[in-house]
């Protein structure tokens, strides 16, 4: 799969393509419907399928300080899109100048001149251009002039997550923030993931017999509510069952919020400096301060037992 940052990286001899545009944070099940349909149309027509997305999130440029927590960094979104069959991902730097493009200029500069769109696949509420003035009707109207067609896909899947609300990135972020990682996973179609580099912490877990990977998360990451979770730690391509702690470590009066993962039944791991992924399967319990270290150790042993069972059950399905 090709990855481009900016219009100038698109090959000069690029032919016709099927395009879909959006932030696609999380590449959740609703997004998958749109992207999957774009890939289907591309295969039918014998042309590449291209996803156009933005960095940073447009809200950060339009309303500085409003950047939402991100469900997936761009490299992870590209991986997920590649798994859906996408041939190329174009990340457009969303600058103040870019935000001033009129809907017509956006269509000409991006869809027509560079990507040579033959079909544009979008959800019904897609908006684009300065002040989000462009909509799907306008997109289709200009398609008659610039020789592309527009196909709409209803991305509004519903399930039990969020009390039956339509699946969306906003709902997913809310569920993650509440610690409902199982609800988030229903929307995403996979466990919610947090990534980052393993750094040295206070090393109290090592002293207590449960050495943890202290993950320095990427900026704007959507981090679950404080608590203990079952999940997996992936490092160097190896996926290991894990007990994950999110919070400030109240037992030792900590103030800095961290994400730490203990690889269950693994001894002698040296993960410092590695980029790792932490996948959240299920909430186990909240963070709390125990009456003694002995009580903490007893709780940690029970946490590990429960996390081992939960991950084994999931992998055995």
């Amino acid at each position: 799969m090709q990855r481009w940052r900016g219009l100038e990286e698109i090959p000069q001899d690029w032919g016709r393509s099927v395009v879909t545009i959006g932030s696609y944070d999380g590449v959740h099940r609703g997004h998958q419907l749109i992207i999957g349909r774009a890939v289907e149309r591309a295969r039918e027509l014998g042309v590449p399928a291209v996803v156009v997305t933005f960095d940073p999130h447009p809200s950060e440029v339009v309303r500085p300080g409003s950047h939402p927590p991100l469900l997936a960094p761009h490299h992870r979104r590209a991986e997920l899109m590649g798994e859906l069959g996408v041939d190329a991902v174009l990340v457009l730097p969303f600058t103040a100048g870019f935000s001033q493009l009129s809907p017509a200029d956006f269509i000409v500069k991006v869809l027509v001149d560079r990507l040579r769109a033959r079909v544009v696949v979008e959800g019904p509420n897609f908006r684009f251009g300065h002040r989000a003035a462009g909509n799907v009707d306008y997109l289709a109207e200009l398609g008659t002039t610039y020789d592309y067609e527009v196909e709409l896909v209803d991305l509004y899947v519903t399930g039990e997550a969020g009390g039956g609300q339509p699946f969306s990135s906003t709902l997913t972020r809310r569920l993650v923030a509440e610690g409902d990682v199982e609800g988030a996973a229903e929307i995403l179609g996979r466990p919610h993931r947090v990534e980052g580099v393993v750094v040295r912490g206070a090393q109290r877990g090592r002293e207590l017999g449960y050495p943890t990977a202290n993950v320095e998360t990427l900026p704007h990451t959507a981090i679950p509510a404080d608590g203990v979770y079952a999940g997996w730690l992936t490092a160097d391509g190896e996926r290991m069952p894990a007990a994950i702690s999110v919070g400030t470590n109240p037992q030792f009066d900590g103030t800095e919020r961290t994400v730490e993962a203990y690889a269950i039944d693994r001894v002698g791991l040296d993960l410092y400096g590695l980029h790792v992924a932490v996948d959240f399967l299920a909430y186990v319990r909240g963070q709390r301060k125990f009456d003694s270290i002995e009580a903490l150790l007893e709780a940690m042993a029970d946490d590990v037992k429960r996390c081992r069972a939960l991950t084994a059950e999931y992998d055995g399905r």
Side-chain angles (χ1 to χ4, degrees):
M1 184 179 69
Q2 299 188 56
R3 302 184 191 185
W4 310 313
R5 185 172 180 85
L7 294 173
E8 64 281 356
E9 292 193 6
I10 302 172
Q12 290 297 321
D13 60 351
W14 187 254
R16 303 299 297 269
S17 58
V18 174
V19 183
T20 183
I21 308 161
S23 292
Y24 290 131
D25 183 25
V27 193
H28 61 65
R29 286 169 56 192
H31 296 153
Q32 291 167 31
L33 291 176
I34 298 177
I35 296 170
R37 182 55 185 158
V39 170
E40 286 179 4
R41 289 303 310 271
R43 299 296 179 266
E44 291 169 3
L45 297 170
V47 299
V50 182
V51 175
V52 179
T53 188
F54 309 96
D55 184 39
H57 193 283
S59 67
E60 180 64 16
V61 175
V62 177
R63 297 178 299 279
S66 66
H67 200 304
L70 295 181
L71 299 169
H74 279 286
H75 70 268
R76 175 61 173 161
R77 293 183 218 176
E79 290 173 3
L80 294 166
M81 291 170 183
E83 291 172 4
L84 294 171
V86 170
D87 299 293
V89 174
L90 168 62
V91 179
L92 292 175
F94 199 90
T95 62
F98 186 86
S99 73
Q100 298 297 312
L101 279 182
S102 69
D105 284 344
F106 179 91
I107 288 171
V108 172
K109 290 178 181 294
V110 178
L111 294 177
V112 179
D113 289 349
R114 300 314 306 266
L115 293 176
R116 301 189 61 207
R118 185 168 174 183
V119 180
V120 182
V121 181
E122 293 298 340
N125 293 334
F126 174 63
R127 311 287 301 200
F128 65 100
H130 183 52
R131 297 187 182 275
N135 58 20
V136 292
D137 290 334
Y138 184 72
L139 184 66
E141 180 185 334
L142 265 66
T144 61
T145 300
Y146 293 112
D147 188 30
Y148 64 80
E149 65 177 276
V150 173
E151 179 171 338
L152 300 184
V153 176
D154 185 357
L155 75 165
Y156 293 108
V157 185
T158 58
E160 295 182 5
Q165 296 182 46
F167 290 172
S168 68
S169 296
T170 299
L171 174 59
T172 311
R173 293 185 194 108
R174 194 198 86 198
L175 295 176
V176 168
E178 293 172 353
D180 185 1
V181 295
E182 292 177 271
E186 182 190 358
I187 299 173
L188 294 169
R190 63 186 182 279
H192 175 58
R193 171 173 288 190
V194 166
E195 298 186 34
V197 174
V198 177
V199 298
R200 293 189 182 277
Q203 298 191 315
R204 292 195 181 94
R206 186 175 300 277
E207 295 169 3
L208 296 172
Y210 296 96
T212 59
N214 188 344
V215 183
E216 186 175 66
T217 56
L218 299 175
H220 303 297
T221 294
I223 298 174
D226 290 359
V228 176
Y229 298 82
W232 296 271
L233 172 66
T234 299
D236 268 347
E238 183 179 5
R239 179 171 172 269
M240 299 166 278
I244 306 157
S245 174
V246 178
T248 58
N249 204 340
Q251 189 69 35
F252 299 97
D253 300 321
T255 57
E256 182 179 354
R257 195 162 184 254
T258 61
V259 176
E260 301 179 63
Y262 166 65
I264 297 172
D265 300 328
R266 296 300 300 269
V267 178
L269 285 176
D270 183 5
L271 303 177
Y272 291 120
L274 292 183
H275 184 96
V276 302
V278 178
D279 292 314
F280 291 81
L281 171 62
Y283 179 86
V284 173
R285 66 169 175 86
Q287 287 273 325
R288 56 171 291 203
K289 187 171 184 176
F290 293 88
D291 294 334
S292 65
I293 296 299
E294 290 72 21
L296 170 64
L297 288 171
E298 183 177 338
M300 292 172 72
D302 184 60
D303 293 340
V304 170
K305 181 179 179 180
R306 292 179 64 188
C307 292
R308 184 189 292 111
L310 286 166
T311 52
E313 178 185 0
Y314 183 92
D315 284 337
R317 292 175 187 171

